[in-house]
Amino acid sequence: MGDCLSQKKIEAATAYLKGLVHHTPIRTSTSLDKLVGRNVYLKMENQQKTGAFKARGASFKIGSMNEEDAKRGVIAASAGNHAQGVALAAAKRGIPAKIYMPIHTPKPKVEATKSYGATVELAGETFQEALFAAQKEQQHSGGTFIHPFDDIDIIAGQGTIAVEMLADQPELDTLIVPIGGGGLISGIAFAAKQIKPSIRVIGVQTEAVCATYHAFHKHLIPSLACTTIAEGIAVNEPGKVTLPLIQQYVDDIVTVSERDIAASVLQLLERHKTLAEGAGAAGFAALMRHHQSIRSDHCGIVISGGNFDLQKLSELHALTMHLPANSMA
C-alpha cells in the first residue's frame, strides 16, 4: 500500500493491472493533425472497462487491500465513473460495495453501477455533498472508504495510462489531461516524468468548476457550486493529496467553456466516430481552444471517459448553436 507516490508504486500498478484492464488504443487523425498543425494522439480511455479510466485506480486499490479490510466491504462517493470502477473491482473480489452519488448523476451511470452489483445511494446536489454522506456511512459501518482521487494507490493506478502512452508513442512531448479532483493528472504527470522528464503535462478544467486551476495559478477566488455538462470533473475543492503533486509535476492548467466541451463531444462523435462524455472531451476541447498557444509537435490527449447520456445530445446542440463559425472545427 504505502503512503507516498513512487516509481516502484507505478511499476506495481502497471504489473497488477496488466490483463485486468484494457491497454486502450491510441487513435490518430490526419485531418485533425492538419487542423491544429501537429501530430495528435487520442488515448481512448472511453473504451476502458466501465467506459472510463477509473477502473484502473479502483482495481489496483481494491486489489491491494488486505483480507480484513476487504471483508468489511467498501464505500465510495462518485459522480459516476469512480462508482462503476469500484463496483466492478469489488465484484471481482467478491466483496460488497455501497456507492453514494449526487442526485443529478446521469441515469446511465447509476444503472451501470447497480449492474455490477453495488448498492447505490443518491445524496446531495454536488459531489462534495455525496462525499460527506459516504464518509458518514463509513464511520457508522466501518467499511473501507475508497476515495476517488486522494489516495496514492488510486493515483498510481491512473498513472499507468502514461506508461502505456509513452510505450506506444515515445515521441510524445505534451500530454493534455482533464482535472476533477486531480487523481488522473497526478498519476499521469508523475509517471510520465519518471519516463521522460522533458515531457510537458497540461491540465484542463471547465470554467464552471475550476478550483484546481485557481489554486495552481494562486488566484484567491472562492469555488462556487455550478452545473456543468462535464459532471465527471465537477469537484469544488482541490485534493489534499493531489494538489501538491499537481504543483510539482504539472506544467500548466487551462480552462475551457461549456460551449467548448459541447462542441468537442459533438466533433468527436461526428468526425471521429467516438463517444466521449463532457469530462472525457475536456482535453480535446483544450487543444481546440488553446492549440495556438500550446507548443507541441506530438500531443497526447486523454479521452478519459465515454459514459454520456445520449438523451442529452440536444443540450449539446443548443450550447453550440451560437458559436462563431471558426471557433471550433
Side-chain angles (χ1 to χ4, degrees):
M1 297 276 285
D3 58 1
C4 64
L5 191 59
S6 64
Q7 179 65 21
K8 186 176 180 181
K9 179 75 75 172
I10 298 292
E11 290 170 355
T14 301
Y16 179 81
L17 294 176
K18 189 173 183 179
L20 192 63
V21 300
H22 297 317
H23 182 130
T24 50
I26 285 178
R27 290 263 301 273
T28 59
S29 165
T30 302
S31 61
L32 177 59
D33 292 352
K34 289 180 179 177
L35 184 65
V36 297
R38 72 205 66 195
N39 294 309
V40 180
Y41 307 86
L42 305 180
K43 177 64 166 169
M44 309 306 289
E45 283 295 294
N46 59 334
Q47 297 179 24
Q48 185 54 261
K49 290 184 177 182
T50 74
F53 74 94
K54 290 284 193 176
R56 294 174 183 266
S59 294
F60 182 55
K61 173 66 178 179
I62 291 174
S64 300
M65 290 168 55
N66 63 45
E67 286 300 318
E68 183 179 339
D69 289 341
K71 285 178 182 177
R72 294 198 295 265
V74 294
I75 297 166
S78 171
N81 289 335
H82 178 62
Q84 293 175 64
V86 169
L88 174 65
K92 282 184 175 289
R93 188 147 182 192
I95 60 177
K98 191 170 189 177
I99 318 288
Y100 285 77
M101 306 171 81
I103 58 176
H104 298 298
T105 301
K107 188 176 179 179
K109 291 185 176 182
V110 176
E111 294 304 318
T113 303
K114 291 179 179 178
S115 76
Y116 292 116
T119 300
V120 174
E121 297 284 349
L122 299 180
E125 295 282 335
T126 65
F127 165 75
Q128 267 70 27
E129 290 174 3
L131 177 63
F132 180 71
Q135 289 170 331
K136 281 187 67 177
E137 171 65 17
Q138 189 276 330
Q139 293 168 1
H140 173 73
S141 70
T144 299
F145 185 71
I146 309 296
H147 200 286
F149 49 84
D150 260 348
D151 182 287
I152 293 300
D153 289 317
I154 293 286
I155 293 168
Q158 323 306 24
T160 60
I161 294 171
V163 177
E164 290 180 7
M165 293 181 77
L166 284 165
D168 293 345
Q169 299 290 343
E171 67 271 35
L172 287 169
D173 57 39
T174 304
L175 302 177
I176 302 179
V177 186
I179 300 176
L184 176 63
I185 197 169
S186 295
I188 284 178
F190 177 85
K193 295 205 171 184
Q194 307 310 302
I195 300 166
K196 189 174 184 178
S198 64
I199 199 167
R200 283 176 54 81
V201 180
I202 299 172
V204 55
Q205 292 199 294
T206 172
E207 292 170 356
V209 186
C210 53
T212 300
Y213 167 82
H214 290 310
F216 182 85
H217 292 290
K218 298 181 170 57
H219 301 159
L220 299 178
I221 297 175
S223 181
L224 303 174
C226 298
T227 57
T228 170
I229 60 170
E231 78 284 339
I233 53 172
V235 179
N236 289 324
E237 295 178 13
K240 292 180 175 61
V241 176
T242 58
L243 183 60
L245 291 167
I246 289 169
Q247 290 169 329
Q248 183 172 356
Y249 295 104
V250 173
D251 297 282
D252 195 12
I253 299 177
V254 299
T255 59
V256 292
S257 71
E258 294 293 291
R259 285 182 175 185
D260 292 332
I261 294 172
S264 292
V265 172
L266 291 174
Q267 182 177 350
L268 285 166
L269 184 59
E270 293 169 354
R271 298 198 182 183
H272 303 287
K273 311 308 177 190
T274 191
L275 180 63
E277 61 191 270
F284 188 84
L287 177 69
M288 301 309 298
R289 177 167 173 175
H290 299 287
H291 66 86
Q292 292 180 336
S293 60
I294 294 174
R295 303 183 309 277
S296 173
D297 294 322
H298 300 278
C299 185
I301 298 176
V302 180
I303 308 297
S304 58
N307 294 314
F308 184 78
D309 186 349
L310 289 172
Q311 294 182 353
K312 295 188 175 182
L313 272 178
S314 59
E315 294 179 21
L316 301 185
H317 284 288
L319 272 170
T320 59
M321 277 178 60
H322 304 297
L323 280 172
N326 64 348
S327 64
M328 293 287 294

